[in-house]
């Protein structure tokens, strides 16, 4: 606890994943205490935030206990029921982002309806309740559960009516709606991040290109190479408009498709620091984590611009049998003294996000090579340090 003559607001963070862990760094730098609700005593963020409670984020009493005495509550994930968040607001805790904004990141159906109401370019969509509806919508298409999906789970690429069966089973078992979307022929995926404070100040990060494998983000290049300036500005304006219209506070990540015919369409929204913003820890003047913290405290935001011409972020996704991550340091750090490595304190499981590396510099190919090599090395993909 800070000394009594130095009063400072405590920020409650719900969820003990790597995003909460990475929020702890700017919080320590800024002298802002965090109080964490973690899933378990060994959760990624519980390892670095001393003031933590272990409990269930769907239990209102636990949420009340964690937020008691805190000025603000924010999130590592989007899974806290909005009814509970309204109850916390009524108890006088500032919930940032608030439940009426957050629901758009929880429910893809609510998000699609809101964006079409705002006239924001998005893939054509429809709610479907039978395989026949899917055929009527048009094949091929993409089916998505409106809630509960992440990292590509809850998303099906459907070519035939028969292939829709599994999606309907999953949706019915989970008691959620199913959404059909046109399958967008995209050139690549982009992400536009903004931080927005309750006072309405907004900081827009450079638009980045992200690569996904099996629905998991693997690599991000900041800024998106060869992105037409008009399209970059359009993507930033879309993100700023969504943040303002939905009343988002903190970081909003807008995942976009850049279509082959040069348009940007919104894929989905996240209202928390996002994997496509991790590059900013080392490549921007103010990281997304610091700006998230500043925003939820309604402090003036920091400059979001890049510090280097290029930053490449590559996630560490271990292969089976990978060596402990710490063992990767001697080679990776000796080979590239400008590399920045971020490890999350998680057990290794094949394909699990356990860390990432950032390489920044003047030359994109060099940054790509350095970041890809280091991530592959930590992931156990390279048998030999000389590769
Ligand atoms: P998640 O909630 O798991 O992140 P997304 O809705 O972002 O799910 O979908 C995961 C991935 O599936 C996207 O990153 C994209 O590569 C692909 N995808 C999603 N929607 C579409 C679409 N309408 N057309 C083409 N590809 C899509």
């Amino acid at each position: 606890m800070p000394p009594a003559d130095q009063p400072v607001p405590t920020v409650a963070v719900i969820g003990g994943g790597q995003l909460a862990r990475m929020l702890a760094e700017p919080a320590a730098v800024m002298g802002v205490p965090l109080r964490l609700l973690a899933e378990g005593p060994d959760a990624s963020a519980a390892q670095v935030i001393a003031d933590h409670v272990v409990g269930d984020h769907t239990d209102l009493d636990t949420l009340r206990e964690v937020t008691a005495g805190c000025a603000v509550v924010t999130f590592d994930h989007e899974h806290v029921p909005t009814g509970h968040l309204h109850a916390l607001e009524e108890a006088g805790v500032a919930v940032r982002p608030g439940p009426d904004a957050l629901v758009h990141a929880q429910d893809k159906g609510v998000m699609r309806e809101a964006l079409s109401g705002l006239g924001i370019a998005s893939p054509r969509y429809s709610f479907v309740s039978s395989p026949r509806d899917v055929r009527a919508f048009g094949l091929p298409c993409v089916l998505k559960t409106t809630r509960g999906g992440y990292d590509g789970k809850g998303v099906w690429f459907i070519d035939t009516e028969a292939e829709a069966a599994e999606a309907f089973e999953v949706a019915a078992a989970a008691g959620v709606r199913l959404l059909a979307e046109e399958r967008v022929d995209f050139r690549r995926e982009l992400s536009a991040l903004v931080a927005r404070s309750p006072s309405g100040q907004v900081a827009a990060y450079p638009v980045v290109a992200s690569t996904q494998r099996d629905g998991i983000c693997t690599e991000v290049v900041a800024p998106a190479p060869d992105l037409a300036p008009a399209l970059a500005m359009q993507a930033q304006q879309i993100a700023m408009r969504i943040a303002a219209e939905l009343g988002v506070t903190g970081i909003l990540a807008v995942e976009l498709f850049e279509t082959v015919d040069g348009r940007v369409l919104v894929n989905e929204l996240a209202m928390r620091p996002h994997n496509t913003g991790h590059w900013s820890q080392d490549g921007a003047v103010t990281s997304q984590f610091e700006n998230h913290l500043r925003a939820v405290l309604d402090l003036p935001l920091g400059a979001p611009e890049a510090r280097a011409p290029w930053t490449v972020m590559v996630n560490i996704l271990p292969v089976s049998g990978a060596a402990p991550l710490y063992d990767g340091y001697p080679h990776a750090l000796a080979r590239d003294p400008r590399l920045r490595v971020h490890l999350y304190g998680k057990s290794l499981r094949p394909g699990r996000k356990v860390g990432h590396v950032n390489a920044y510099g003047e030359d994109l190919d060099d940054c790509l090579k350095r970041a890809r090599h280091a991530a592959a090395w930590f992931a156990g993909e390279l048998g030999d340090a000389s590769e």
Side-chain angles (χ1 to χ4, degrees):
M1 288 297 286
D5 66 344
Q6 292 295 317
V8 49
T10 298
V11 176
V13 183
I14 308 303
Q18 66 265 24
L19 303 177
R21 179 185 175 105
M22 291 187 272
L23 204 56
E25 186 187 10
V29 170
M30 292 181 70
V32 173
L34 300 183
R35 180 177 306 148
L36 179 73
L37 175 62
E39 297 71 20
D42 302 327
S44 177
Q47 296 167 31
V48 301
I49 299 174
D51 186 6
H52 63 259
V53 171
V54 172
D56 177 3
H57 61 260
T58 64
D59 180 61
L60 182 54
D61 288 337
T62 304
L63 293 169
R64 287 192 197 282
E65 179 196 336
V66 174
T67 56
C70 292
V72 179
V73 58
T74 190
F75 310 95
D76 164 270
H77 58 66
E78 285 133 350
H79 309 314
V80 180
T82 46
H84 291 357
L85 298 178
H86 283 294
L88 296 179
E89 280 186 330
E90 278 157 28
V93 184
V95 179
R96 293 178 179 157
D100 296 336
L102 198 62
V103 67
H104 299 89
Q106 293 179 334
D107 189 310
K108 290 175 182 173
V110 172
M111 179 269 292
R112 284 276 172 252
E113 287 172 317
L115 295 191
S116 62
L118 293 172
I120 290 174
S122 307
R124 187 172 66 83
Y125 75 95
S126 178
F127 294 102
V128 287
S129 43
S130 69
R132 198 163 354 121
D133 287 352
V134 176
R135 192 178 39 181
F137 176 78
L139 291 160
C141 72
V142 180
L143 295 180
K144 299 182 177 183
T145 51
T146 48
R147 285 176 175 260
Y150 65 98
D151 283 351
K153 294 186 181 59
V155 176
W156 294 264
F157 291 80
I158 302 293
D159 289 305
T160 65
E161 198 179 320
E163 286 168 7
E166 184 191 325
F168 281 101
E169 277 165 32
V170 171
V176 298
R177 293 187 291 176
L178 207 58
L179 195 63
E181 290 181 4
E182 71 173 287
R183 195 183 294 180
V184 177
D185 189 10
F186 58 81
R187 181 183 164 215
R188 58 180 168 179
E189 295 188 58
L190 303 174
S191 175
L193 248 77
V194 295
R196 182 175 178 277
S197 67
S199 306
Q201 192 193 355
V202 177
Y205 284 88
V207 176
V208 302
S210 75
T211 308
Q212 325 278 322
R213 201 172 57 217
D214 302 329
I216 296 180
C217 173
T218 54
E219 187 172 289
V220 170
V221 178
D226 306 322
L227 180 62
L231 218 50
M233 195 181 295
Q234 202 185 326
Q236 286 182 321
Q237 280 167 349
I238 288 171
M240 290 189 283
R241 173 136 187 260
I242 294 173
E245 297 275 4
L246 303 184
V248 179
T249 44
I251 293 285
L252 168 72
V254 180
E255 294 180 31
L256 300 143
F257 298 124
E258 181 185 355
T259 64
V260 288
D261 58 356
R263 294 172 300 141
V264 283
L265 303 177
V266 175
N267 176 28
E268 68 167 343
L269 309 180
M271 295 182 193
R272 50 172 169 72
H274 193 250
N275 202 163
T276 60
H278 290 355
W279 70 275
S280 66
Q281 291 173 299
D282 303 302
V285 175
T286 314
S287 79
Q288 64 163 347
F289 296 99
E290 177 163 341
N291 262 340
H292 186 75
L293 198 61
R294 293 193 195 198
V296 301
L297 287 164
D298 206 10
L299 293 171
L301 302 176
E305 62 252 25
R307 293 204 260 210
W310 299 104
T311 304
V312 174
M313 188 281 328
V314 180
N315 277 335
I316 299 171
L317 304 166
V319 298
S320 86
L325 294 175
Y326 188 86
D327 295 356
Y329 273 134
H331 165 72
L333 302 185
R335 179 179 167 120
D336 187 354
R338 294 181 78 193
L339 184 79
R340 302 281 297 153
V341 183
H342 301 259
L343 300 181
Y344 308 155
K346 292 187 165 183
S347 315
L348 302 191
R349 275 206 306 268
R352 184 186 202 195
K353 286 179 194 168
V354 293
H356 65 272
V357 298
N358 285 329
Y360 56 89
E362 319 285 313
D363 182 78
L364 176 56
D365 286 337
D366 178 59
C367 292
L368 283 168
K369 216 156 66 193
R370 287 163 51 212
R372 286 175 181 166
H373 172 86
W377 173 249
F378 279 105
E381 285 170 29
L382 308 179
D384 174 352
S386 64
E387 279 182 63

